[in-house]
Amino acid sequence: MLLDDALRGVPLVAAAGGAVVDVGSGGGTPGIPLAASLPDRQVTLLEAERRKCRFLERWTEELPNLHVVWGRAEEQPLEQYGVALAKALAEPVVAAEWCLPLVASGGRVVLWVGPSAEPERVARAAERVGGELAESPPGFLVLAKTAPTPAGFPRRPGIARKRPLA
Ligand SMILES: C[S@@+](CC[C@H](N)C(=O)[O-])C[C@H]1O[C@@H](n2cnc3c(N)ncnc32)[C@H](O)[C@@H]1O
């Protein structure tokens, strides 16, 4: 079930090029199943909690295209990836703000979302961070990175939740 949910993202990741980052990977989903399904793509699991990173690192022995980075999305080098993924990271407006600076222009952000997600709000937030809402299948919001990350982003840790962009 969890695996199926992660693998629903395969066509969306396959449609966009470049290295992939799973932001707030937690126990490793969706990044680990996607790394196993797409062995030609480099997949980084970015996770803020060190304890979780230690667990995730065990998987790098099995999957040579898998990497683990301990850190927060807001504190990473900008625009290093082609695709950023987030599942249950934060509310979609916040996840969009954290993920868009990580991808280069032309890249994609793929958010796994529930039925309560508000696409218009996410679209408004994305526009503030160089992105726009793209065609998205049910259960996802896909954002296209259409412009470089504007000055002032990423905002300091904690600000995105405290003062959402939309
Ligand atoms: C609810 S878990 C979801 C884990 C996994 N993606 C899933 O779907 O099961 C959210 C994870 O995001 C991590 N996290 C929260 N804020 C983060 C941030 N700003 N940067 C990186 N990781 C973050 C948390 O430590 C936690 O492991």
Side-chain angles (χ1 to χ4, degrees), residues 82-165:
V83 189
L85 316 170
K87 183 170 162 290
L89 168 65
E91 75 151 317
V93 165
V94 173
E97 178 176 345
W98 285 347
C99 289
L100 277 163
L102 299 175
V103 302
S105 296
R108 288 277 188 280
V109 171
V110 178
L111 305 178
W112 272 247
V113 297
S116 62
E118 300 166 277
E120 302 79 15
R121 255 187 86 207
V122 177
R124 273 187 274 127
E127 279 165 25
R128 304 268 311 272
V129 204
E132 61 184 44
L133 185 62
E135 199 183 318
S136 307
F140 292 94
L141 289 178
V142 179
L143 308 173
K145 184 84 183 281
T146 50
T149 305
F153 289 98
R155 296 190 289 173
R156 278 183 292 116
I159 303 293
R161 283 189 203 271
K162 210 182 292 174
R163 288 193 264 120
L165 289 176

Side-chain angles (χ1 to χ4, degrees), residues 17-134:
V20 180
V21 59
D22 176 17
V23 184
S25 196
T29 187
I32 293 173
L34 289 169
S37 304
L38 298 165
D40 296 338
R41 303 291 290 274
Q42 298 300 311
V43 177
T44 296
L45 309 178
L46 173 63
E47 170 52 51
E49 281 189 31
R50 190 173 196 176
R51 182 179 53 84
K52 293 182 181 170
C53 287
R54 284 204 201 97
F55 165 82
L56 294 171
E57 263 153 21
R58 294 189 210 154
W59 287 88
T60 60
E61 288 161 28
E62 310 280 331
L63 298 167
N65 59 326
L66 191 71
H67 314 277
V68 177
V69 171
W70 170 40
R72 299 188 62 87
E74 311 90 297
E75 297 177 325
Q76 300 307 303
L78 300 187
E79 305 185 356
Q80 301 288 301
Y81 299 95
V83 189
L85 316 170
K87 183 170 162 290
L89 168 65
E91 75 151 317
V93 165
V94 173
E97 178 176 345
W98 285 347
C99 289
L100 277 163
L102 299 175
V103 302
S105 296
R108 288 277 188 280
V109 171
V110 178
L111 305 178
W112 272 247
V113 297
S116 62
E118 300 166 277
E120 302 79 15
R121 255 187 86 207
V122 177
R124 273 187 274 127
E127 279 165 25
R128 304 268 311 272
V129 204
E132 61 184 44
L133 185 62

